[in-house]
Amino acid sequence: MGANIKLKPKLIQSIDRALQILESFSNEEKELGVTEIANRLDLHKSTVHGILTTLEYRGYIKKNVKTGKYQLGLKLLELGNLVHDSMDLISLAKPYLQELVNKHQETVHLVVYDRGEVIYIDKIEGKGAIKIMSRIGKRNPVHCTGVGKCLLAFREDHEIEMILKQDLKKYTVNTITDSEKLKEQILEIRKNGYAFDMEEIELGLRCIAAPIRDHRRKVVAAISLSGPSMRMDQERMQNLVTDVKKAADMISRNLGYIDMHF
Amino acid sequence: MGANIKLKPKLIQSIDRALQILESFSNEEKELGVTEIANRLDLHKSTVHGILTTLEYRGYIKKNVKTGKYQLGLKLLELGNLVHDSMDLISLAKPYLQELVNKHQETVHLVVYDRGEVIYIDKIEGKGAIKIMSRIGKRNPVHCTGVGKCLLAFREDHEIEMILKQDLKKYTVNTITDSEKLKEQILEIRKNGYAFDMEEIELGLRCIAAPIRDHRRKVVAAISLSGPSMRMDQERMQNLVTDVKKAADMISRNLGYIDMHF
DNA sequence: AACTTTGTTTGGTATTATCAAACAAAAGGG
DNA sequence: CCCTTTTGTTTGATAATACCAAACAAAGTT
């Protein structure tokens, strides 16, 4: 669970269960039955039924009358859109991300940092046949993604130390699990203003990432351009750095960031 | 509440309250405090606090450490996106809607029917200075919107009768509140395959709407092109009908609909 | 610095969510 | 086609749990 060291606070059981039910749905499992959910969360089906009734009444769940199963409701589309619209960052960054995609035909991500993890808040796919497995709202660790290392590099020292102290889970042979080595790279990233991910979370996946700063010069987000290793040799990656950094800088400027170099 | 005749079922209080809290947020009120919510929903602040803690733990709510107030969380972005992705209709319709917007520079909507009401599931804004007040996820009555009348016209007769029997709320001087007159119009819409909204829900707002059918020839959605009356005179509207119908037909075809006219 | 207003924590109480069991309605299989 | 199995729904008794109130803490305001 990343650097989320927070202890589980006193939760309201029924609400917590309701939220867990919502999260049981996924792109692979768009429809779930009562007993299916009950087994998964180890609850009684009558309990699940009651929760579903409440969720359905408010539009968070919809029952498919044909199959009798349940699926996520349109209320979530509404609330999701509300969140989307409140994030100025997304709409502001969109044109620059689109430009990157158009020019290089690789998938681009926009992410923010949240409690020791990275959250994808926008994504534009390249035309390439190879799709990157990612999803808006998805969380990933910081130590093995380009954007993650970018965001980590500009956090406060004590927070970095905290992450480094924790167990750096190994995802591939390239994942950096040695905290000393990661620290070195963080210093590099700070100096250069960009990061690479050399198949550190998934074999065959490489990316270039760069940080986004707001008007207070604080790093608040990061973008990345990812592609399959076969298209991402060292030389091309080095060439892409300029464009990725430029896009990130343009977004920063739109957030009120003023470059002090002159 | 439209034709939603459903009685309030036995709801789980705490969950229902939690959902009501989520819905308290809006574009105008992105941040709310504990007591603010408590007063609004007539709950004790300790109760609200407990619910918020649970919602926050799961990421549905995020506390702004600067202001101390709460706002909607990124988990809703994730779930909203999940719903979005499961609706093939949206992505499938997008290019045709975009084409309409590009050509006519007016706002376009994509809607579905749900329990006697219309729900907006996508929207692309025109470049025009006058913005249409609408929002993805918003519900509107069927009797006074172009899309609503479109969707109603192709429902089963008994459902139409049910809607007609109900009180047709007056929104403007142009709102059709006479069920006989509405019935006549519905027959017209069935025959012609498109509907007008002549400032029936909001003064100064007109639109052209057309139905979308799936592979079973069933009307499952509708689109509309809306604009301010000053740009929407009778002549232009009549001219727009062709393009709106054409876009709707193209989307229908993408859903597997096969036209039997030949 | 005193006073509001706000968010948070606490624990007793009664409401309420939960469980189990029985029912109903489909689905599957012989 | 009927019987079996699985699934969704309803019920009511019980104990757990969400709720309220009151007290506390921390800001914000005058």
Side-chain angles (χ1 to χ4, degrees), chain A residues 80-93:
Chain A
N81 223 254
L82 209 56
V83 175
H84 185 280
D85 288 353
S86 348
M87 297 197 88
D88 301 335
L89 176 60
I90 298 178
S91 44
L92 209 136

Side-chain angles (χ1 to χ4, degrees), chain B residues 28 109 123 131-135 138 140 202 205:
Chain B
E28 291 72 42
H109 287 114
K123 169 190 185 178
K131 297 270 181 204
I132 311 260
M133 278 303 288
S134 62
R135 155 161 313 292
K138 188 179 178 180
N140 263 341
E202 199 180 323
L205 183 68

Side-chain angles (χ1 to χ4, degrees), chain A residues 15-30:
Chain A
I15 298 178
D16 191 46
R17 287 174 168 177
L19 302 181
Q20 282 186 60
I21 289 179
L22 289 180
E23 287 166 48
S24 309
F25 295 88
S26 69
N27 230 27
E28 291 72 41
E29 313 237 50
K30 294 188 216 291

Side-chain angles (χ1 to χ4, degrees), chain A residues 41-82:
Chain A
L41 301 179
D42 202 33
L43 299 172
H44 285 253
K45 52 182 184 167
S46 57
T47 306
V48 173
H49 184 263
I51 296 175
L52 285 172
T53 306
T54 308
L55 288 170
E56 189 186 17
Y57 179 75
R58 297 257 168 225
Y60 291 74
I61 285 279
K62 189 163 169 89
K63 190 174 176 180
N64 185 336
V65 281
K66 277 195 74 74
T67 62
K69 301 199 175 241
Y70 292 85
Q71 52 190 214
L72 293 179
L74 288 171
K75 181 62 116 240
L76 290 166
L77 190 72
E78 176 184 355
L79 292 176
N81 223 254
L82 209 56

Side-chain angles (χ1 to χ4, degrees), chain A residues 98-116:
Chain A
Q98 188 66 59
E99 201 185 321
L100 268 182
V101 175
N102 291 345
K103 185 163 174 189
H104 301 293
Q105 292 299 335
E106 301 289 1
T107 298
V108 165
H109 287 113
L110 175 65
V111 313
V112 292
Y113 179 87
D114 183 62
R115 289 176 289 179

Side-chain angles (χ1 to χ4, degrees), chain B residues 13-14 17 42-47 51 66-67:
Chain B
Q13 194 186 56
S14 59
R17 287 174 169 178
D42 203 34
L43 299 173
H44 285 253
K45 52 183 186 168
S46 59
T47 306
I51 297 174
K66 278 196 73 75
T67 62

Side-chain angles (χ1 to χ4, degrees), chain A residues 165-178:
Chain A
K165 264 210 299 275
Q166 299 189 340
D167 182 49
L168 304 173
K169 194 181 163 197
K170 198 172 190 68
Y171 286 84
T172 74
V173 287
N174 289 351
T175 308
I176 304 172
T177 52
D178 177 36

